[in-house]
Amino acid sequence: MTVTRREMLAATAAALAAPLVAPGAAGAAGAAQAPSVAPKFFTAPEFALLDELSDLIIPTDAHSPGARAAGVAAYIDFRLSDSPDPEQQTTWRSGLAAVEALSKELNGQAFLQSSAEQRVAVLTRMAAGEHDPKTPADHFFQTLKHWTARAYYTSKVGIHADQRYKGNVYQRGDYAGFDAK
């Protein structure tokens, strides 16, 4: 059986887009929700922690839905479950453990048991060391932020709701391009 180039491109595009569409991702914006399917790599508590951290990094606002609505945690979970690199998986597990340790150090309790202000304080502390990381939590923040942004801005929510991408259409206005004569 031969496969045409067009069929191969269609199959590849479908395979690449499948993990970006998280079931139930268009649920109530900003509302804490359990994953609609069991996590593939993370434990349920790790997944809940990742979901909250990513939503703190890219929250829902008046402009667009946040990371939770975009299914960022599900995307990261899927990517790690399929990763051939055990070191990458270890980085994520130890990074989430470092977040919990920092939360217990700062607040005396686990991250998800902390108040909203305490959660933001933990994330702010991690972000402060982003450019010169010294602690495991500081190092992990770089990875967390990068993967969160990538997952969000390659999701339907990030592309269409946040960036308002309209497809391959003629753009009018300030950035309409230049007509060469």
Side-chain angles (χ1 to χ4, degrees):
M1 177 179 136
T2 60
V3 178
T4 67
R5 179 176 176 264
R6 185 176 301 261
E7 292 168 333
M8 181 57 78
L9 287 172
T12 302
L16 291 173
L20 299 177
V21 181
Q33 61 188 29
S36 58
V37 293
K40 297 174 183 293
F41 171 71
F42 292 114
T43 64
E46 287 172 334
F47 186 90
L49 176 59
L50 174 59
D51 191 45
E52 181 64 18
L53 287 166
S54 64
D55 204 56
L56 286 171
I57 291 172
I58 303 177
T60 296
D61 60 16
H63 178 70
S64 62
R68 182 173 288 128
V72 167
Y75 173 80
I76 293 171
D77 178 64
F78 174 79
R79 289 285 311 269
L80 290 170
S81 73
D82 200 34
S83 175
D85 183 4
E87 186 177 315
Q88 190 175 56
Q89 294 171 333
T90 301
T91 296
W92 277 89
R93 288 213 193 270
S94 62
L96 291 174
V99 171
E100 287 291 16
L102 180 59
S103 179
K104 288 177 182 171
E105 176 188 320
L106 295 177
N107 307 318
Q109 55 191 347
F111 188 83
L112 293 176
Q113 278 66 55
S114 301
S115 69
E117 294 80 23
Q118 291 171 324
R119 291 177 188 184
V120 170
V122 170
L123 197 62
T124 302
R125 175 83 167 272
M126 291 167 50
E130 177 182 12
H131 297 293
D132 186 22
K134 292 182 176 37
T135 69
D138 295 346
H139 284 282
F140 177 64
F141 181 77
Q142 293 176 324
T143 301
L144 174 66
K145 181 179 154 185
H146 171 78
W147 279 55
T148 297
R150 180 181 177 119
Y152 182 77
Y153 288 108
T154 57
S155 73
K156 186 174 183 177
V157 169
I159 292 170
H160 295 286
D162 187 73
Q163 296 185 356
R164 302 190 197 281
Y165 177 71
K166 297 189 181 9
N168 194 14
V169 297
Y170 181 75
Q171 301 293 313
R172 298 186 189 283
D174 293 340
Y175 299 102
F178 178 76
D179 290 330
K181 295 182 182 178

